[in-house]
């Protein structure tokens, strides 16, 4: 990395428990036991105020996690392939995933990852504690987002949405891809109990976080806590697109 070439500055903004914008140029590497030949940065976590943990993982040649990820009886996991090609396993089930591929592992099922690319593979990785519902249980699920058709978001033909997991009450969360054509926006500034961890896949835009407009672009990570005002509009010539988590299908706890 070497000496800085300019004054030290950062686009990142951290408001613990409320929201965060984490720019990629400020990330540091974390050691996560079990991951070999991988560069990992922990993004959202309970230390930030999130109820989940998000990671950005670069699997280098021969990169893998031979000890597995998750697998505890109350922990669910999810991986999304940003670029490259990997083998992902949920227990004994194996899947080959390239760009836009993903895998969900329910509680009690370990996730195994192995880089199949000659170069690097880049992953967005997630875990959280599952909130059980009597008589219900989620299942292993894998697909490629590129196989899913966008649907129109809130009757706006320049905003599009994909649901990555089944819309089933057995699941206490989902992952979505939201995409804004240039100049498109949310229909209003949202305020809700759900929280999000979002990774920007393409484009540039302005994001309203707690009524502060913040410039964002490809490669940024955004954490949005419960009840934080949030909305976006796209700028530039490319669609503003991001993959993000959302808790759902459960009542609020007392």
């Amino acid at each position: 990395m070497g000496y800085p070439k300019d004054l030290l500055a950062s686009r990142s903004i951290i408001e613990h428990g409320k929201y965060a914008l984490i720019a990629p140029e400020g990330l540091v590497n974390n050691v996560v036991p079990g991951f070999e030949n991988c560069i990992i940065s922990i993004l959202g976590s309970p230390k930030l105020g999130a109820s989940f943990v998000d990671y950005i993982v670069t699997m280098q040649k021969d990169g893998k996690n031979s000890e597995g990820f998750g697998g505890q009886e109350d922990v669910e996991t999810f991986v999304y392939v940003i670029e490259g090609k990997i083998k992902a396993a949920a227990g004994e089930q194996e899947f080959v995933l390239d760009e836009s591929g993903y895998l969900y592992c329910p509680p009690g099922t370990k996730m195994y990852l192995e880089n199949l690319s000659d170069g690097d593979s880049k992953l967005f990785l997630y875990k959280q504690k599952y909130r059980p519902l009597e008589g219900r249980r989620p299942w292993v699920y894998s697909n490629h987002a590129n196989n899913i058709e966008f649907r129109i978001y809130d009757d706006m033909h320049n905003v599009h949405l994909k649901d990555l997991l089944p819309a089933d009450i057995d699941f206490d969360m989902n992952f979505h891809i939201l995409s804004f054509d240039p100049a498109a926006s949310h229909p209003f500034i949202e305020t809700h109990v759900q929280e999000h961890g979002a990774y920007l896949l393409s484009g540039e835009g302005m994001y309203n976080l707690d009524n502060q407009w913040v410039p964002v672009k490809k490669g940024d990570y955004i954490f949005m806590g419960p009840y934080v005002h949030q909305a976006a509009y796209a700028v530039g010539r490319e669609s503003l697109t991001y993959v993000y988590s959302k808790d759902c299908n459960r009542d609020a706890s007392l």
Side-chain angles (χ1 to χ4, degrees):
M1 187 174 296
Y3 293 104
K5 297 177 175 59
D6 204 341
L7 295 175
L8 294 178
S10 174
R11 294 189 300 109
S12 296
I13 303 170
I14 307 297
E15 293 287 344
H16 289 268
K18 296 170 65 177
Y19 68 89
L21 168 69
I22 302 179
E25 56 268 21
L27 292 176
V28 298
N29 300 332
N30 301 114
V31 176
V32 177
F35 283 80
E36 306 166 27
N37 297 322
C38 294
I39 300 170
I40 304 178
S41 291
I42 297 174
L43 301 170
S45 77
K47 288 187 175 182
L48 181 61
S51 64
F52 49 80
V53 184
D54 282 328
Y55 312 76
I56 193 73
V57 182
T58 299
M59 303 193 85
Q60 300 174 314
K61 184 175 174 59
D62 300 322
K64 58 185 176 179
N65 69 329
S66 54
E67 297 179 15
F69 177 70
Q72 298 88 345
E73 286 304 316
D74 60 347
V75 174
E76 56 191 340
T77 58
F78 181 91
V79 65
Y80 181 90
V81 180
I82 299 169
E83 57 187 53
K85 184 177 182 180
I86 67 167
K87 179 171 69 175
E92 299 300 317
Q93 301 182 59
E94 293 187 352
F95 306 88
V96 175
L97 306 175
D98 50 19
E99 182 181 351
S100 91
Y102 59 90
L103 170 65
Y104 168 84
C105 287
T109 302
K110 274 194 176 184
M111 176 184 289
Y112 296 90
L113 305 169
E114 181 180 347
N115 187 18
L116 297 181
S117 176
D118 291 333
D120 293 345
S121 291
K122 191 172 184 179
L123 316 176
F124 186 43
L125 186 63
Y126 163 99
K127 69 177 180 182
Q128 82 160 11
K129 286 193 173 182
Y130 177 72
R131 291 164 294 165
L133 193 62
E134 186 176 358
R136 301 283 185 168
R137 185 170 180 84
W139 56 90
V140 172
Y141 191 85
S142 181
N143 200 351
H144 281 74
N146 289 343
N147 295 335
I148 303 172
E149 294 290 331
F150 272 119
R151 58 184 171 87
I152 294 172
Y153 180 79
D154 268 8
D155 296 323
M156 297 185 299
H157 291 264
N158 56 358
V159 184
H160 306 90
L161 181 70
K162 295 183 181 185
D163 302 326
L164 302 189
L165 296 180
D168 193 291
I169 202 168
D170 293 64
F171 292 80
D172 70 337
M173 49 76 67
N174 209 322
F175 265 81
H176 309 278
I177 293 179
L178 188 58
S179 186
F180 300 85
D181 293 346
S185 71
H186 278 93
F188 56 90
I189 295 177
E190 299 179 355
T191 309
H192 52 60
V193 67
Q194 290 86 5
E195 60 182 314
H196 304 307
Y199 183 83
L200 274 64
L201 299 171
S202 67
E204 300 179 10
M206 296 295 295
Y207 223 105
N208 186 309
L209 297 170
D210 201 33
N211 271 341
Q212 303 294 319
W213 286 101
V214 177
V216 297
K217 64 179 182 178
K218 179 181 177 179
D220 286 348
Y221 172 80
I222 304 173
F223 162 66
M224 291 166 268
Y227 299 108
V228 167
H229 303 309
Q230 53 196 260
Y233 63 83
V235 301
R237 300 178 179 178
E238 186 180 18
S239 294
L240 174 65
T241 304
Y242 53 87
V243 56
Y244 68 102
S245 61
K246 181 179 73 176
D247 46 303
C248 59
N249 297 334
R250 298 292 184 271
D251 193 5
S253 299
L254 291 175

